Amino acid sequence: MWMIQQSVDYFFRVLDFLIIARILMSWFNPDPSSTIPKLIYQLTEPILAPFRNLMFRFGLGRGMIDFSPIIAVIFLGFIRNLIIGLL
């Protein structure tokens, strides 16, 4: 059981790392055709898009700062704790 909990924890840590990498990429604006930024974008967009759409629906996504990564990291932390608690 411990190994499953560790695997779930590592999975969510990797997701957090990818989201943070995407935030940093938005600051430095790398070449979008290179492999690593494209991979990070493809892995994180399915996670961030629902939060971005939710913010637009509530009228919160109109500024220059995208808060969807912050909300996604908080939500993923909640889900991680819930899954590990159930195991």
Side-chain angles (χ1 to χ4, degrees):
M1 189 61 83
W2 174 81
M3 191 173 216
I4 295 172
Q5 289 176 341
Q6 287 292 51
S7 298
V8 168
D9 187 48
Y10 288 147
F11 174 75
F12 281 100
R13 285 183 188 206
V14 167
L15 288 178
D16 289 344
F17 173 75
L18 289 171
I19 291 171
I20 291 169
R22 179 160 173 175
I23 292 169
L24 293 175
M25 282 183 358
S26 72
W27 293 349
F28 297 113
N29 200 11
D31 182 21
S33 64
S34 62
T35 307
I36 293 175
K38 189 183 296 187
L39 177 68
I40 291 173
Y41 181 81
Q42 289 174 348
L43 291 173
T44 57
E45 186 59 25
I47 298 168
L48 296 178
F51 293 105
R52 196 174 301 119
N53 291 338
L54 186 67
M55 289 180 60
F56 277 121
R57 211 175 292 161
F58 288 116
L60 300 173
R62 306 207 192 289
M64 291 188 59
I65 299 175
D66 184 14
F67 290 106
S68 61
I70 296 169
I71 296 170
V73 167
I74 292 170
F75 182 76
L76 289 174
F78 174 74
I79 296 297
R80 171 181 38 217
N81 291 337
L82 181 69
I83 292 173
I84 290 175
L86 291 173
L87 294 174

